[in-house]
Amino acid sequence: ILLVSVSAYLLRAIQGVATLMRSITGYDYRLCAVIVWLAFTAFTIYSGSPGVLLTDTIMFLVFLAAALVAVPFLIRAGGGWFAGIEALANSGAMPGIGRLLLIGISAAGISSASTFLSLIGFSVVNDILPEAESDRKKLARSRWAMLAVSLIVLALAYLNPPQIFLIMYFGGTVIAGAWRLVAFGSVWSRRLSR
Protein backbone atom coordinates (compact mmCIF):
# COMPACT_ATOMS: atom_id res chain seq x y z
CA ILE A 1 0.00 0.00 0.00
CA LEU A 2 2.82 2.39 0.91
CA LEU A 3 4.66 1.58 -2.31
CA VAL A 4 1.61 2.35 -4.47
CA SER A 5 0.59 5.54 -2.68
CA VAL A 6 4.11 6.99 -2.46
CA SER A 7 4.67 6.11 -6.13
CA ALA A 8 1.51 8.10 -6.94
CA TYR A 9 2.91 11.08 -5.02
CA LEU A 10 6.24 10.63 -6.83
CA LEU A 11 4.38 10.74 -10.16
CA ARG A 12 2.58 13.88 -9.03
CA ALA A 13 5.92 15.50 -8.12
CA ILE A 14 7.48 14.64 -11.49
CA GLN A 15 4.48 15.94 -13.43
CA GLY A 16 4.20 19.10 -11.33
CA VAL A 17 7.88 20.02 -11.56
CA ALA A 18 8.06 19.14 -15.26
CA THR A 19 5.02 21.35 -15.90
CA LEU A 20 6.64 24.25 -14.02
CA MET A 21 9.94 23.68 -15.80
CA ARG A 22 8.12 23.78 -19.14
CA SER A 23 6.54 27.11 -18.21
CA ILE A 24 9.90 28.56 -17.15
CA THR A 25 12.09 27.24 -19.99
CA GLY A 26 9.67 26.63 -22.84
CA TYR A 27 11.10 23.12 -23.34
CA ASP A 28 8.86 20.18 -24.18
CA TYR A 29 7.08 18.62 -21.18
CA ARG A 30 8.57 15.18 -21.85
CA LEU A 31 12.12 16.52 -21.90
CA CYS A 32 11.43 18.34 -18.64
CA ALA A 33 10.05 15.12 -17.10
CA VAL A 34 13.26 13.26 -18.01
CA ILE A 35 15.44 16.07 -16.61
CA VAL A 36 13.45 16.14 -13.35
CA TRP A 37 13.60 12.33 -13.07
CA LEU A 38 17.33 12.27 -13.70
CA ALA A 39 17.98 15.00 -11.12
CA PHE A 40 16.16 13.44 -8.18
CA THR A 41 16.90 9.79 -9.03
CA ALA A 42 20.65 10.29 -9.40
CA PHE A 43 20.76 12.42 -6.25
CA THR A 44 18.70 10.00 -4.15
CA ILE A 45 20.47 6.84 -5.27
CA TYR A 46 23.86 8.46 -4.72
CA SER A 47 23.28 10.23 -1.40
CA GLY A 48 20.56 8.12 0.21
CA SER A 49 18.69 9.16 3.32
CA PRO A 50 21.38 11.53 4.70
CA GLY A 51 21.29 13.57 1.48
CA VAL A 52 17.51 13.58 1.38
CA LEU A 53 17.30 14.75 5.01
CA LEU A 54 19.83 17.50 4.31
CA THR A 55 17.97 18.81 1.24
CA ASP A 56 14.62 18.68 3.04
CA THR A 57 16.06 20.68 5.93
CA ILE A 58 17.65 23.25 3.61
CA MET A 59 14.41 23.51 1.61
CA PHE A 60 12.46 24.16 4.81
CA LEU A 61 14.83 26.92 5.90
CA VAL A 62 14.89 28.55 2.45
CA PHE A 63 11.09 28.53 2.17
CA LEU A 64 10.65 29.82 5.70
CA ALA A 65 13.02 32.73 5.05
CA ALA A 66 11.44 33.45 1.65
CA ALA A 67 7.95 33.37 3.10
CA LEU A 68 8.84 35.74 5.93
CA VAL A 69 10.36 38.20 3.46
CA ALA A 70 7.97 37.79 0.52
CA VAL A 71 4.53 37.55 2.12
CA PRO A 72 4.15 41.20 3.09
CA PHE A 73 5.48 42.31 -0.29
CA LEU A 74 3.17 39.97 -2.25
CA ILE A 75 0.09 40.96 -0.35
CA ARG A 76 0.78 44.69 -0.66
CA ALA A 77 2.09 44.80 -4.24
CA GLY A 78 -0.25 42.34 -5.89
CA GLY A 79 -3.51 42.91 -4.11
CA GLY A 80 -3.54 39.56 -2.33
CA TRP A 81 -1.58 36.31 -2.11
CA PHE A 82 -2.58 34.60 -5.39
CA ALA A 83 -2.82 37.81 -7.36
CA GLY A 84 0.64 38.78 -6.09
CA ILE A 85 2.22 35.50 -7.17
CA GLU A 86 0.60 35.76 -10.60
CA ALA A 87 1.71 39.37 -10.94
CA LEU A 88 5.29 38.43 -10.06
CA ALA A 89 5.33 35.52 -12.49
CA ASN A 90 3.99 37.67 -15.35
CA SER A 91 5.58 40.99 -14.40
CA GLY A 92 7.52 42.80 -17.09
CA ALA A 93 9.30 44.86 -14.45
CA MET A 94 10.52 41.93 -12.35
CA PRO A 95 10.51 38.75 -14.46
CA GLY A 96 13.55 37.47 -12.59
CA ILE A 97 11.74 37.43 -9.25
CA GLY A 98 8.75 35.59 -10.71
CA ARG A 99 10.99 33.02 -12.34
CA LEU A 100 13.02 32.66 -9.17
CA LEU A 101 9.80 31.94 -7.28
CA LEU A 102 8.85 29.22 -9.78
CA ILE A 103 12.36 27.75 -9.68
CA GLY A 104 12.14 27.60 -5.88
CA ILE A 105 8.84 25.74 -6.12
CA SER A 106 10.45 23.36 -8.63
CA ALA A 107 13.36 22.74 -6.26
CA ALA A 108 10.89 21.92 -3.50
CA GLY A 109 9.15 19.45 -5.82
CA ILE A 110 12.45 17.75 -6.60
CA SER A 111 13.23 17.63 -2.88
CA SER A 112 9.83 16.01 -2.25
CA ALA A 113 10.44 13.53 -5.06
CA SER A 114 13.76 12.50 -3.51
CA THR A 115 11.99 11.96 -0.17
CA PHE A 116 9.32 9.80 -1.82
CA LEU A 117 11.94 7.78 -3.70
CA SER A 118 13.94 7.23 -0.52
CA LEU A 119 10.76 5.97 1.22
CA ILE A 120 10.17 3.57 -1.66
CA GLY A 121 13.68 2.12 -1.40
CA PHE A 122 13.39 1.77 2.37
CA SER A 123 9.96 0.14 2.15
CA VAL A 124 10.95 -2.37 -0.53
CA VAL A 125 14.07 -3.48 1.35
CA ASN A 126 12.53 -3.61 4.82
CA ASP A 127 8.92 -4.64 4.14
CA ILE A 128 8.75 -6.54 0.84
CA LEU A 129 12.06 -8.30 0.11
CA PRO A 130 13.47 -11.03 2.37
CA GLU A 131 16.09 -9.98 4.92
CA ALA A 132 19.52 -9.30 3.38
CA GLU A 133 22.69 -10.88 4.77
CA SER A 134 24.54 -7.58 5.06
CA ASP A 135 23.97 -3.84 5.06
CA ARG A 136 25.90 -3.61 1.80
CA LYS A 137 23.48 -6.01 0.11
CA LYS A 138 20.52 -4.13 1.61
CA LEU A 139 21.86 -0.86 0.18
CA ALA A 140 22.31 -2.41 -3.27
CA ARG A 141 18.76 -3.80 -3.20
CA SER A 142 17.40 -0.45 -2.11
CA ARG A 143 19.18 1.35 -4.96
CA TRP A 144 17.92 -1.14 -7.55
CA ALA A 145 14.39 -0.85 -6.18
CA MET A 146 14.53 2.95 -6.33
CA LEU A 147 15.81 2.82 -9.91
CA ALA A 148 13.14 0.33 -11.00
CA VAL A 149 10.22 2.19 -9.41
CA SER A 150 11.47 5.56 -10.63
CA LEU A 151 11.71 4.23 -14.21
CA ILE A 152 8.12 2.99 -14.02
CA VAL A 153 6.96 6.34 -12.67
CA LEU A 154 8.97 8.16 -15.37
CA ALA A 155 7.27 6.05 -18.04
CA LEU A 156 3.86 6.99 -16.60
CA ALA A 157 4.81 10.68 -16.47
CA TYR A 158 6.22 10.54 -20.00
CA LEU A 159 3.28 8.75 -21.60
CA ASN A 160 0.42 10.48 -19.77
CA PRO A 161 -0.33 14.18 -19.71
CA PRO A 162 -0.10 15.82 -16.29
CA GLN A 163 -3.06 14.95 -14.08
CA ILE A 164 -1.62 16.19 -10.82
CA PHE A 165 -4.86 16.74 -8.93
CA LEU A 166 -6.32 13.34 -9.88
CA ILE A 167 -3.11 11.53 -8.90
CA MET A 168 -3.03 13.36 -5.55
CA TYR A 169 -6.57 12.18 -4.82
CA PHE A 170 -5.65 8.59 -5.77
CA GLY A 171 -2.59 8.54 -3.48
CA GLY A 172 -4.53 10.08 -0.59
CA THR A 173 -7.37 7.61 -1.01
CA VAL A 174 -4.99 4.64 -0.93
CA ILE A 175 -3.36 5.91 2.27
CA ALA A 176 -6.72 6.68 3.91
CA GLY A 177 -8.05 3.24 2.97
CA ALA A 178 -4.98 1.54 4.39
CA TRP A 179 -5.38 3.23 7.77
CA ARG A 180 -8.96 2.05 8.18
CA LEU A 181 -7.86 -1.40 9.36
CA VAL A 182 -5.38 0.08 11.84
CA ALA A 183 -8.00 2.52 13.16
CA PHE A 184 -10.57 -0.21 13.78
CA GLY A 185 -7.95 -2.55 15.20
CA SER A 186 -6.66 0.04 17.64
CA VAL A 187 -10.17 0.48 19.05
CA TRP A 188 -11.30 -3.16 19.10
CA SER A 189 -8.07 -5.14 19.56
CA ARG A 190 -6.35 -5.39 22.91
CA ARG A 191 -3.05 -6.32 21.25
CA LEU A 192 -2.93 -3.15 19.10
CA SER A 193 -4.03 -0.79 21.86
CA ARG A 194 -1.46 -1.74 24.52
Side-chain angles (χ1 to χ4, degrees):
I1 293 173
L2 178 71
L3 185 64
V4 172
S5 60
V6 172
S7 295
Y9 283 119
L10 182 62
L11 177 58
R12 180 195 58 158
I14 290 175
Q15 287 186 335
V17 175
T19 301
L20 273 176
M21 185 182 285
R22 181 188 66 201
S23 72
I24 295 169
T25 64
Y27 294 147
D28 180 59
Y29 163 78
R30 290 184 170 133
L31 175 63
C32 293
V34 171
I35 292 169
V36 169
W37 169 83
L38 185 61
F40 78 79
T41 301
F43 170 78
T44 306
I45 288 174
Y46 178 73
S47 69
S49 292
V52 170
L53 289 172
L54 178 65
T55 58
D56 285 350
T57 303
I58 291 170
M59 205 51 63
F60 166 74
L61 295 173
V62 167
F63 272 156
L64 178 63
L68 292 174
V69 171
V71 167
F73 174 75
L74 287 172
I75 291 172
R76 233 178 301 118
W81 177 253
F82 294 111
I85 291 174
E86 185 176 343
L88 273 177
N90 297 323
S91 172
M94 297 185 289
I97 294 174
R99 286 197 176 117
L100 191 60
L101 181 65
L102 294 176
I103 289 168
I105 293 169
S106 297
I110 290 173
S111 176
S112 296
S114 67
T115 301
F116 298 145
L117 191 57
S118 179
L119 279 170
I120 289 168
F122 185 81
S123 177
V124 167
V125 168
N126 290 302
D127 299 333
I128 297 172
L129 295 178
E131 188 67 31
E133 298 84 47
S134 67
D135 286 343
R136 208 172 163 87
K137 197 166 202 168
K138 211 176 197 180
L139 179 62
R141 287 180 175 180
S142 176
R143 287 178 171 164
W144 282 111
M146 287 188 285
L147 181 61
V149 171
S150 72
L151 282 169
I152 292 167
V153 170
L154 173 64
L156 291 171
Y158 192 85
L159 297 173
N160 292 312
Q163 299 175 6
I164 300 161
F165 198 67
L166 180 66
I167 293 167
M168 182 183 70
Y169 267 145
F170 171 74
T173 303
V174 170
I175 290 173
W179 280 101
R180 180 182 58 211
L181 182 62
V182 175
F184 284 123
S186 66
V187 172
W188 299 106
S189 171
R190 292 179 193 260
R191 286 178 40 194
L192 284 177
S193 58
R194 280 188 207 173

